[in-house]
Amino acid sequence: MTASMTTNTEKDSRIGSLEALAVLLVLLVLLRGRLAGLLSGAGLQTWATVFVSVLVQAAPFLVFGVVLSAVIAVFVPRGFWARALPGHPALAVPAAGVAGVVLPGCECGSVPIAGSLIRRGVTPAAALAFLLAAPAINPIVLTATVVAFPGQPQVAVARGLASLVVAVTMGWLWLRLGRAEWIRLPHRPDLDDTSRARAFWAACRHDVMHAGGFLVLGAAAAATINVLVPARWLQSLAADPVISVLALATLAVLLSICSEADAFVAASLSQFSLTARLVFLVVGPMVDLKLISMQAGVFGRRFAMRFAPATFVAAVLVGTGFGLALR
């Protein structure tokens, strides 16, 4: 018994990968000025700036999502969701999508929350509708959109409605075509701990390792794309109405901007049509490099390979339709 307790104490006191990752991220933020100075090339400096910016933007909302996910996983009874959402899956999907308005966060927080909802018995289609809707229709994002497009409140309205339509459509599509084996949530014996405090901390550690690690990979990919894509290419693409929509949709995926900040980027792309910029705002919170990486880490690669392309197509089509209606 004593030997077992000693072993557990040694394991608890050992510095693990989570602590190492946390220290590394803190050092990157604190030393970003010196690190940028050590990078002599302009391209490398841009890469470092974008990489750190994505992490700094996303980290607070990732932490918020991880903590809320742990609360759902440990403290919320399973029967709560059965009472809170309609019993029929087809009705639970739009209800879960509308519920996304209460989450003041971005896509980084919605991924672990959606995984936790599925573990607590919520039908995957409803959890996925929440995942897609929450980053785009919450009050902070819509308010930022109004500020970014002064005198054009219809842009924020169109963004919210289009995003909700995409989220509900994808939820219903999952009900129709989705398969349970495509979602592989990691086994979580830590949630069965008799102590809720230990289970809560274990859930936080697990989600930070999965979502946080893939967030770093996604941020690195986004920074690389920012360096490799010349700005002059955007000017030539803006002239064609069809190509401009596809270009900004693809750019939204590659840039991986947090949903609280993407409206200001879209407003600055004034050479593009309002329709193309609306598509940028609809696609970004639902499909980008860091989000695809995080989905692969939380739900499995088979899920991400199917769900992300389908969501991209739906977001482009619905966003274009709402954009044309604004004319």
Side-chain angles (χ1 to χ4, degrees):
M1 183 71 175
T2 304
S4 176
M5 293 177 59
T6 304
T7 302
N8 291 335
T9 302
E10 291 176 354
K11 288 182 179 181
D12 292 340
S13 61
R14 188 182 304 167
I15 297 178
S17 54
L18 172 61
E19 288 77 8
L21 175 62
V23 171
L24 176 62
L25 294 179
V26 171
L27 289 177
L28 285 174
V29 173
L30 295 179
L31 301 178
R32 61 185 182 276
R34 294 186 180 182
L35 291 176
L38 294 176
L39 300 173
S40 56
L44 291 177
Q45 292 185 22
T46 301
W47 188 95
T49 301
V50 173
F51 175 75
V52 174
S53 297
V54 171
L55 289 182
V56 170
Q57 280 184 346
F61 300 102
L62 173 63
V63 172
F64 176 82
V66 164
V67 172
L68 184 56
S69 172
V71 170
I72 294 173
V74 177
F75 296 102
V76 178
R78 288 185 180 273
F80 171 82
W81 302 111
R83 298 189 300 270
L85 293 174
H88 197 288
L91 298 178
V93 168
V98 173
V101 75
V102 303
L103 177 64
C106 71
E107 58 272 25
C108 302
S110 64
V111 174
I113 293 174
S116 197
L117 288 174
I118 295 175
R119 285 195 180 88
R120 302 309 285 178
V122 175
T123 178
L128 296 178
F130 176 86
L131 183 152
L132 296 177
I137 69 172
N138 71 74
I140 293 179
V141 171
L142 296 181
T143 301
T145 306
V146 171
V147 174
F149 290 86
Q152 295 178 295
Q154 68 271 22
V155 176
V157 174
R159 177 184 191 177
L161 292 177
S163 300
L164 183 59
V165 169
V166 174
V168 174
T169 300
M170 289 304 300
W172 283 337
L173 185 64
W174 183 267
L175 275 179
R176 181 75 175 178
L177 303 176
R179 298 180 181 177
E181 60 267 23
W182 290 348
I183 294 182
R184 293 293 182 89
L185 292 174
H187 182 52
R188 301 293 299 276
D190 50 287
L191 299 182
D192 298 327
D193 197 304
T194 55
S195 170
R196 287 191 173 185
R198 287 197 296 267
F200 174 81
W201 173 238
C204 289
R205 287 171 58 92
H206 180 277
D207 286 342
V208 166
M209 284 301 300
H210 276 74
F214 282 95
L215 171 61
V216 172
L217 294 178
T224 303
I225 294 298
N226 271 271
V227 173
L228 295 181
V229 177
R232 63 179 181 274
W233 287 10
L234 299 179
Q235 297 288 345
S236 60
L237 295 174
D240 189 284
V242 177
I243 295 179
S244 63
V245 168
L246 297 177
L248 282 197
T250 304
L251 189 66
V253 176
L254 300 179
L255 291 182
S256 302
I257 304 172
C258 187
S259 60
E260 274 75 16
D262 60 359
F264 299 96
V265 176
S268 69
L269 298 171
S270 56
Q271 67 269 38
F272 287 88
S273 66
L274 188 60
T275 298
R277 286 183 284 172
L278 180 61
V279 170
F280 178 89
L281 294 175
V282 175
V283 171
M286 297 186 176
V287 190
D288 64 30
L289 290 179
K290 70 177 186 300
L291 184 55
I292 295 172
S293 298
M294 292 171 64
Q295 288 178 357
V298 174
F299 300 110
R301 294 181 181 179
R302 294 181 66 188
F303 169 84
M305 290 175 61
R306 291 169 171 83
F307 192 72
T311 303
F312 178 82
V313 173
V316 171
L317 293 177
V318 174
T320 301
F322 274 83
L324 294 176
L326 290 178
R327 289 184 175 182

